Amino acid sequence: MKTYNNLYGKIISFENLVLAWEKARKGKTKKNYVIEFEKNLNENLLDLHYELKNKIYIPKSLETFVLRDPKTRVISKSHFRDRIVHHAICNVIDPIFDKTFIYDSCANRIGKGNLFALERFKLYKRKITKNLRKEAYCLKADIKHYFQEVNHEILIRILERKISDVDVVFLIKHILRNNSNTLFTDNLIGMPIGNLTSQFFANVYLNELDYFVKHRLKAKYYIRYVDDFVTLHESQKQLEEWKGQIDEFLRNKLKLELHPDKSRIIALSKGIDFVGFRNYYHFRLPRKRNINKMKNKIKEFEKGEIEYDNLMISFQGWQAYVKWSNSYNIRKDILKEIARIKYKKIEVAKNKWD
């Protein structure tokens, strides 16, 4: 297996840090922390380069908050300068690992994503059911507490198969263990949800599972999106057997386990919940929680908690997403409700002036 050395210099080069800064600021140019960093941009990037070059760089403490959308998640937000370092690392090592990923690893990869995963699922569904003429089954699986349970020692061993540059490994340990009280103890677990590096390492870690399923179990129709994956087969019994083997592999090799409530075998005709949609034989519907999320935004607008412009920004993003499904009527109803409330607010304002 080919390994890569002399990567650290590429990661910390000023040119790469500039590229990383450009990526880190994308879509966030009006944020105060970006504006503040860019007041002394050249100096701040030179300071970061100096710290990395002399190996005295220490990430700042993470800002942690709870996000309910409606699923409750703990998100950890890195300081902007640390996000530049994350991009700098991924700029260099992502291409090395991406070429080793299976085609149907769909998350956080250029040219892939939710829509790609949905289209692959649609293709495999047609193939396994002989163009929807027979019944088939799906192992719909989810890994329990994935980001909280990633084992640092195992992850580092996986990374070291391709990266022999000790300085790069040392920097990665710094970032991985930023949310830990002790920096270099063994057997630490967990990655903060929200970091670019966490998203990348999530694919590296579960690439082990992908190879096991594709090459050891010989599963032909398998798709993974982060820790959410599906495997299709005409035999329910075969999927039951694979489910046990996958759970055993995860426990023994990666110190993970399948979620007991979210990992089950379902007939394709009953609809499969995958990457935000309920996928049936002849149509696709958005999840109820995605619809309720938009309805909750409308309630906030009605109560005066958010402005109309902010509501419409949320609606446009939501509409672009649910358009991937058979959602014309619900989109029309949502838009009518927004118009109704807006008109009502205008009438109330008129009556006050009168």
Side-chain angles (χ1 to χ4, degrees):
M1 180 184 292
K2 183 178 179 180
T3 60
Y4 294 80
N5 204 343
N6 303 318
L7 297 176
Y8 192 70
K10 295 178 183 178
I11 290 171
I12 70 167
S13 71
F14 191 76
E15 293 77 12
N16 189 45
L17 291 178
V18 170
L19 177 60
W21 158 71
E22 289 173 346
K23 289 184 177 181
R25 76 191 292 270
K26 191 174 182 181
K28 300 177 178 66
T29 53
K30 294 182 180 179
K31 298 287 186 181
N32 288 333
Y33 57 80
V34 176
I35 294 169
E36 191 63 29
F37 187 88
E38 292 178 356
K39 284 179 180 177
N40 298 295
L41 177 60
N42 200 55
E43 183 181 339
N44 285 330
L45 289 177
L46 284 170
D47 286 346
L48 197 53
H49 172 71
Y50 176 84
E51 291 173 26
L52 290 164
K53 182 179 178 180
N54 292 281
K55 302 181 181 65
I56 56 172
Y57 163 76
I58 297 176
K60 294 183 180 293
S61 298
L62 299 171
E63 179 188 343
T64 301
F65 56 95
V66 176
L67 187 66
R68 294 179 175 88
D69 63 340
K71 181 180 176 181
T72 300
R73 294 180 295 161
V74 178
I75 307 295
S76 296
K77 187 176 174 182
S78 294
H79 193 279
F80 183 65
R81 78 195 302 266
D82 296 325
R83 284 183 243 169
I84 293 173
V85 176
H86 300 168
H87 277 281
I89 292 170
C90 289
N91 284 346
V92 174
I93 69 172
D94 188 322
I96 293 170
F97 284 91
D98 189 79
K99 66 180 72 170
T100 71
F101 296 159
I102 66 166
Y103 188 72
D104 288 317
S105 170
C106 302
N108 308 308
R109 299 178 66 194
I110 295 171
K112 303 294 173 77
N114 296 58
L115 182 57
F116 178 86
L118 287 169
E119 290 303 310
R120 294 296 284 176
F121 183 84
K122 182 179 178 180
L123 172 66
Y124 288 164
K125 179 179 64 178
R126 286 191 171 277
K127 285 188 174 184
I128 201 71
T129 60
K130 308 299 182 189
N131 207 24
L132 309 180
R133 291 198 300 268
K134 56 175 280 192
E135 183 65 280
Y137 301 89
C138 175
L139 167 58
K140 167 69 176 67
D142 189 282
I143 296 172
K144 185 179 179 182
H145 302 151
Y146 176 50
F147 280 88
Q148 297 97 309
E149 297 296 331
V150 168
N151 185 289
H152 293 188
E153 186 179 356
I154 295 172
L155 175 58
I156 291 297
R157 284 205 305 266
I158 295 169
L159 290 168
E160 286 178 332
R161 290 184 206 153
K162 302 293 289 181
I163 300 173
S164 54
D165 189 323
V166 294
D167 291 331
V168 174
V169 174
F170 184 85
L171 178 58
I172 289 171
K173 285 180 179 178
H174 248 352
I175 290 165
L176 277 174
R177 298 172 180 183
N178 187 28
N179 59 337
S180 171
N181 291 325
T182 51
L183 194 57
F184 295 113
T185 56
D186 293 330
N187 300 320
L188 292 175
I189 62 170
M191 298 189 300
I193 299 174
N195 278 3
L196 174 70
T197 46
S198 296
Q199 297 168 17
F200 169 65
F201 294 143
N203 271 344
V204 172
Y205 203 76
L206 284 184
N207 192 43
E208 304 295 299
L209 171 66
D210 298 342
Y211 272 66
F212 175 76
V213 174
K214 293 292 290 183
H215 300 296
R216 290 282 297 279
L217 299 184
K218 306 292 185 184
K220 193 173 181 181
Y221 304 123
Y222 166 82
I223 310 164
R224 181 176 61 80
Y225 190 92
V226 194
D227 61 330
D228 188 7
F229 62 92
V230 291
T231 309
L232 282 60
H233 202 277
E234 61 266 20
S235 167
Q236 189 173 2
K237 183 179 178 182
Q238 178 66 81
L239 289 176
E240 289 283 3
E241 186 179 327
W242 282 350
K243 181 184 175 185
Q245 291 173 310
I246 288 169
D247 197 40
E248 183 181 3
F249 174 84
L250 289 170
R251 289 173 186 271
N252 294 339
K253 299 296 184 182
L254 299 178
K255 308 300 181 190
L256 300 170
E257 59 182 289
L258 291 178
H259 196 296
D261 301 323
K262 298 179 181 179
S263 302
R264 53 202 181 99
I265 294 159
I266 309 161
L268 283 170
S269 59
K270 292 184 178 179
I272 308 300
D273 194 351
F274 185 51
V275 290
F277 297 92
R278 192 81 177 170
N279 298 272
Y280 293 89
Y281 264 27
H282 300 286
F283 59 94
R284 181 190 298 151
L285 297 176
R287 281 177 180 165
K288 286 183 180 179
R289 74 183 189 197
N290 286 340
I291 296 170
N292 290 336
K293 184 178 178 181
M294 192 62 237
K295 287 181 177 179
N296 289 336
K297 284 285 184 185
I298 294 172
K299 287 178 183 176
E300 289 176 15
F301 171 58
E302 190 169 21
K303 293 175 184 176
E305 294 173 0
I306 60 172
E307 298 294 327
Y308 175 75
D309 288 347
N310 290 332
L311 173 65
M312 291 310 295
I313 289 170
S314 295
F315 174 76
Q316 294 298 336
W318 176 82
Q319 179 177 240
Y321 185 69
V322 299
K323 266 186 175 179
W324 296 351
S325 64
N326 302 79
S327 60
Y328 174 78
N329 288 335
I330 186 63
R331 285 185 279 119
K332 185 173 70 173
D333 291 344
I334 290 282
L335 202 53
K336 278 184 180 179
E337 182 65 4
I338 292 172
R340 182 190 69 78
I341 295 169
K342 184 185 178 185
Y343 179 76
K344 182 180 175 183
K345 283 176 174 282
I346 291 170
E347 287 300 305
V348 168
K350 280 182 180 178
N351 290 336
K352 281 184 180 180
W353 282 105
D354 294 341

